[in-house]
Structure formats: structure tokens, C-alpha cells
Amino acid sequence: MATASPFNEEDLLCPVCRQAFSFPVTLACQHSFCEACIQSHWEWKGSRLWPLRRHSENTRRPPINLALKIASDTFKAQASLRSVNPDNLCSIHSEELKMFCHKESKPICLICHMSRDHKGHQCDTIPEAAAARKKALSNRYEALREHPHSTENMKGSLEELEAHMQNQAVQTEAQIRDEFEKLHKFLREEEAARLTVLKDEMDRKVQAVRQRLENIKEDVDDISEIIEGTESTLRSDDLSFLKNWQEAIRRICYPIEEVQYPQGALIDTAQYLGSLKYGVWKRLAGEVKSCPIALDPNTAQPNMILSDEVMSVRYGKKQQLPDNPECCSSRLAVLASTDFTLGKHCWDVEVGDSQEWYIGVARESIKRKTAVFLNPAEGFWVTGLSNGETYWAQTSPRTRLALKKRPQRITVELDYEKGKVAFLNAVDGSIIYMFKDKFTERIFPYFSPGIHGDGENALRICPLKVSITLN
């Protein structure tokens, strides 16, 4: 049980600073002051006069009043505890929380810090721990504070993306309808042609049957007339009969032909219905084009203009396109929609008389938004022409190629397992250049046209010849 203090609160206050005593000393007059306060008073007065009386103190260093110091320290400690928020006191020791345990991630008091429960735990003072965590929180806070701005920008981008998708869908639908209209037109024309041939055959054969019917009718009329005349002659008297019998004999000798069913008179139905679909398909094969690969509009830089059938690309007026992750916005290029992860593949590209172009393959992870060098280290295996006269293999450093003939059409051959990309003159098969490397991810055909003239810089993927084989 705590012992009652012989001092009241007023006795514990220094008459000079009016604060609880700090190292209280008692003068000969029996008044007590803080040691620092009385020394400051004497220095200010220039004498050792007592602050409360006009007498001088003879002692240079008045003695400390130990009982008063203990009472004052106790009073200040109790006052300090009274001023501390209960939430900031240790629930175990009721001491102020002054340390932070990193292992248990919580504030502790000094007694906890020295206890066995926290032995070996890394601890910092509350200000140190708070400063480190405030720094970490501030970094995240700054990122979070930027989030609404980024989100607003993304919102605008997504709205533009939605509008572009709708426009893209409308255009694609129109192109699909146009292509199917061409197919419908072909089928309608094919149908009309076959119906015309059928009608011509029908008209011809019906006319032949009608002519045969007309001939038969004439024969029947002639024979009926002969029969009627012969019967009249036979009914006449003998003298009359003898006068006319020779004429009757002549007429009755009318040549009678056996009526036969006409051969091939029926419509040749098999000609029209036999393998009808195959016949139409075979004719259609001569009208359609089949490409080994197709260009992907979603990867095209905004200045890239693709044909309706996404088989060719050229430079043109910049389009308003969304900057989606697939878009190769850092280069005047477009990738194919077809990717390869194994096997052998080849395709022909018509470069014509273009003054600048680059073709080849690129890996999926190429940097599409920042400028990089066209070389294998950056994920490109490409050859090309610059300034209309110099051919390059985009190695590191790039290799100048000496070609005897200017190629108009180039074959690109990819062997994924062997890591080979070969470029050949499609006309004579001569090798232009071959890369050897190792592929570890998806590979896409790469196309980059020049910027010379409208339509003159187009790169075209050459269609394959369609053939039909029956088993």
C-alpha cells in the first residue's frame, strides 16, 4: 500500500518556475527552489539574495532536499501517467508503450522488452518503427493516390476501345457480307448457267419429239386416205375395178416404216445432278484465293493500311486506333495472326519494286511500345531493303547483302525445331540469307513496308494454288 506524502501539491511547486521541483535545494531561510532556478536568479541579480526575502545566502551550493526531490519525482511520474492515454499503456504491466517488436508486429513496454517473452526479438523505439512504416505506407499511398488518375485515363481508353470495337465489328460485318455476296453472286450465276443449259436441252429435245409427232400424223393421214381409196376400189363393179386396179396397187404399195421410240429423247438428269456440289466447288476453287497466313489488324501500327482480305499492307494516312497491348506502335509494322510453335512453314511475299521493306519473323514477347533494334537479341529475325539499293540481314551488327538480282518475290522458310529462318528468291530459289538460332516461344511472321508512294510500297502475301484431290 502506498505511503501518504507529507507534501501537498502546492509544496511541490517551485516558487520561481511554478513547475514541480527538479533537483530542489533548501536555503537557510528554509525555502526550497529548483537548483537551476536559484542559480539563474542569483546570476540575474548579481548577488545571493533570497528570492522571497532581502537576505543573502552564505552557501554557494545549497543542499538538495532529498525528501522533497523524491516527492516531486513521484508527483511528476504520477502526473505523467495521468496524462498518458490508457490505450497507450501496456495491458500487462500498465507501463507506457515505448518499443515496437518486429517479430510480433506490435508495440510493447520496456518491461516486456526485457522479459523472456521478447528475448531475441528485434525491437525499435516507437518513433523509429513508425518512421520506417510511414515511409513504406507513403510509397504505397503515392501509388494509390495516382490510381484514380490512372483509372480515369484507363476509363477514357476503354471508352475509345469500345467505340473502335463497335466500328471494327461494323466494318468486319460489311466485309463479310460483301464476300458472301460475291459467293452468292457466283452461285447464282452458276445456277443460272446450268438452268440455261438444261432449258436449251429441253427445248431441243421437245422440238425433236414434236417433229416426230408431226411426221407420224402426216403418215397416218396419208395411210388413212390410201385405205379409204382402196376400200372404194374394192367395192366397185368388176369393170370399174379392172380399170383402176393398177393405180390402186401403186397407191397401196406406200412404204410403211415401223414407228420407233427416239433414242436419247429424255433429259440427261445425271449430267446436271451428278456431283453437282463437287462441280460447283471445283469451279469455285478457280475463283477463290487461299493464303498460308493472314495479317492481324490488331497488331498494326496506325499508319499501316491493310487490304480487305488482310493479305497485303502498305503505308498510309494515320488512323485513329486504340493503343492496345498487341499494337506494334513503335515501328511501321504488322504481325500475322498465325503463330508457330513447331514444324516447318513457308510463305511467299511479293515486294515488287518497293524502295524499302523488312520481312521475317518475330517472337511474341518483342517490345511493341518502345523502339528497339531489329536483331535476334531483341526477338527479330528479319531481312530488308533500305533506300532502294542496299539489302541487309538484321544481325547485330547488321550484315550487308550482295544480291546479283533484285528479288520481286521472296520466300520465307521457318524451321522451328532447328531454329532456322531462311530467305530465298522465289523465282530461282537462290538463298538470300539464313538465320540460325533457338526458339523458345511463339513465333509470328513480321511485315514492315516502306513509306514511298501510294500503293507502291505494299507488301503482299502470295496466295497458294488451290487443287482438289479425290481419293
Side-chain angles (χ1 to χ4, degrees):
M1 183 175 178
T3 304
S5 174
F7 303 98
N8 57 38
E9 185 174 339
E10 186 65 26
D11 293 336
L12 300 176
L13 300 180
C14 173
V16 177
C17 65
R18 301 305 297 171
Q19 300 293 328
F21 284 114
S22 179
F23 293 99
V25 295
T26 302
L27 304 184
C29 64
Q30 299 303 309
H31 289 94
S32 297
F33 305 90
C34 294
E35 183 180 32
C37 292
I38 192 62
Q39 292 293 343
S40 297
H41 176 75
W42 285 343
E43 290 176 3
W44 177 61
K45 288 290 187 179
S47 65
R48 295 182 177 278
L49 289 175
W50 297 338
L52 303 179
R53 297 186 179 184
R54 294 185 178 277
H55 297 282
S56 298
E57 177 68 26
N58 295 325
T59 306
R60 291 182 59 85
R61 299 195 65 179
I64 293 177
N65 189 331
L66 185 59
L68 185 58
K69 181 180 185 306
I70 293 173
S72 179
D73 289 346
T74 302
F75 172 76
K76 287 191 289 185
Q78 293 175 347
S80 175
L81 288 176
R82 287 195 298 271
S83 65
V84 175
N85 188 328
D87 293 338
N88 295 337
L89 297 178
C90 177
S91 60
I92 301 174
H93 305 105
S94 299
E95 292 289 330
E96 187 175 0
L97 301 172
K98 294 187 176 181
M99 304 296 291
F100 184 83
C101 177
H102 290 283
K103 183 175 181 179
E104 298 188 6
S105 191
K106 68 177 185 179
I108 60 175
C109 68
L110 292 175
I111 298 176
C112 292
H113 177 53
M114 299 176 67
S115 69
R116 182 179 300 174
D117 293 340
H118 292 272
K119 184 177 180 180
H121 293 185
Q122 181 183 355
C123 298
D124 283 329
T125 63
I126 293 294
E128 290 174 337
R133 279 156 180 74
K134 283 181 179 179
K135 182 177 180 181
L137 180 62
S138 295
N139 292 338
R140 295 190 178 185
Y141 165 73
E142 290 299 328
L144 185 63
R145 191 172 65 172
E146 290 295 323
H147 183 69
H149 179 67
S150 301
T151 303
E152 192 63 28
N153 290 341
M154 179 58 69
K155 178 183 176 183
S157 297
L158 290 177
E159 289 173 349
E160 292 178 0
L161 177 62
E162 180 184 0
H164 177 74
M165 289 169 58
Q166 292 176 348
N167 183 54
Q168 192 178 34
V170 170
Q171 292 180 350
T172 304
E173 179 183 352
Q175 292 173 357
I176 291 175
R177 292 183 182 279
D178 182 60
E179 290 302 316
F180 271 94
E181 179 55 33
K182 293 177 183 177
L183 293 175
H184 294 158
K185 181 181 178 182
F186 171 84
L187 292 174
R188 286 194 296 268
E189 292 175 350
E190 185 69 17
E191 177 188 12
R194 289 173 178 266
L195 291 176
T196 298
V197 174
L198 173 62
K199 185 177 183 303
D200 290 344
E201 182 183 3
M202 183 191 68
D203 291 344
R204 186 177 69 256
K205 290 188 174 182
V206 167
Q207 184 63 33
V209 170
R210 287 177 179 175
Q211 184 63 44
R212 179 65 62 88
L213 287 173
E214 185 67 25
N215 294 338
I216 291 174
K217 184 176 180 300
E218 291 178 358
D219 288 345
V220 170
D221 290 343
D222 289 344
I223 292 173
S224 297
E225 183 180 350
I226 293 172
I227 291 173
E228 184 179 351
T230 302
E231 290 177 348
S232 176
T233 300
L234 290 173
R235 285 194 303 269
S236 64
D237 57 75
D238 292 343
L239 181 60
S240 297
F241 171 78
L242 292 174
K243 290 181 179 179
N244 297 318
W245 74 273
Q246 291 181 333
E247 177 63 22
I249 290 295
R250 185 186 65 77
R251 294 184 63 188
I252 206 170
C253 290
Y254 181 89
I256 299 175
E257 295 181 2
E258 183 181 355
V259 179
Q260 295 182 352
Y261 198 87
Q263 294 292 327
L266 297 179
I267 299 297
D268 189 2
T269 304
Q271 174 187 350
Y272 302 101
L273 299 182
S275 301
L276 172 63
K277 295 178 182 178
Y278 170 75
V280 175
W281 178 37
K282 188 174 181 180
R283 281 183 53 85
L284 183 60
E287 301 292 330
V288 299
K289 296 179 181 179
S290 176
C291 238
I293 55 177
L295 302 177
D296 184 359
N298 295 332
T299 66
Q301 193 269 354
N303 287 97
M304 298 293 93
I305 308 299
L306 276 61
S307 64
D308 289 344
E309 294 183 345
V310 290
M311 293 172 56
S312 69
V313 58
R314 64 178 177 83
Y315 178 85
K317 184 178 180 181
K318 187 173 184 179
Q319 307 166 86
Q320 291 297 324
L321 301 176
D323 190 20
N324 59 298
E326 295 86 0
C327 178
C328 300
S329 57
S330 64
R331 286 192 171 274
L332 297 174
V334 61
L335 301 180
S337 61
T338 308
D339 66 275
F340 306 110
T341 56
L342 52 84
K344 297 179 180 180
H345 311 273
C346 73
W347 56 94
D348 287 359
V349 183
E350 184 181 338
V351 298
D353 294 322
S354 178
Q355 299 298 299
E356 184 176 0
W357 50 263
Y358 290 94
I359 59 175
V361 298
R363 66 187 179 207
E364 183 181 21
S365 62
I366 58 171
K367 295 179 180 178
R368 307 188 184 198
K369 306 301 179 183
T370 56
V372 293
F373 292 104
L374 284 178
N375 59 47
E378 298 291 348
F380 299 88
W381 294 268
V382 171
T383 61
L385 170 67
S386 65
N387 300 324
E389 57 183 16
T390 309
Y391 293 90
W392 300 97
Q394 294 299 122
T395 53
S396 181
R398 62 181 183 169
T399 303
R400 185 166 182 170
L401 305 176
L403 304 183
K404 296 180 179 179
K405 296 181 180 180
R406 183 184 181 95
Q408 301 284 308
R409 182 170 174 173
I410 295 177
T411 299
V412 182
E413 293 184 349
L414 168 67
D415 188 332
Y416 190 95
E417 280 79 8
K418 293 185 178 180
K420 293 182 180 180
V421 184
F423 299 84
L424 303 87
N425 188 326
V427 175
D428 56 18
S430 60
I431 296 179
I432 297 174
Y433 191 81
M434 179 183 291
F435 289 92
K436 292 184 179 181
D437 213 320
K438 182 178 181 180
F439 303 133
T440 58
E441 58 181 275
R442 295 201 296 172
I443 298 296
F444 290 83
Y446 175 91
F447 304 86
S448 178
I451 57 175
H452 302 280
D454 293 336
E456 296 178 2
N457 60 329
L459 297 179
R460 295 179 178 85
I461 303 170
C462 301
L464 299 174
K465 293 182 178 179
V466 179
S467 63
I468 300 174
T469 303
L470 296 179
N471 293 326

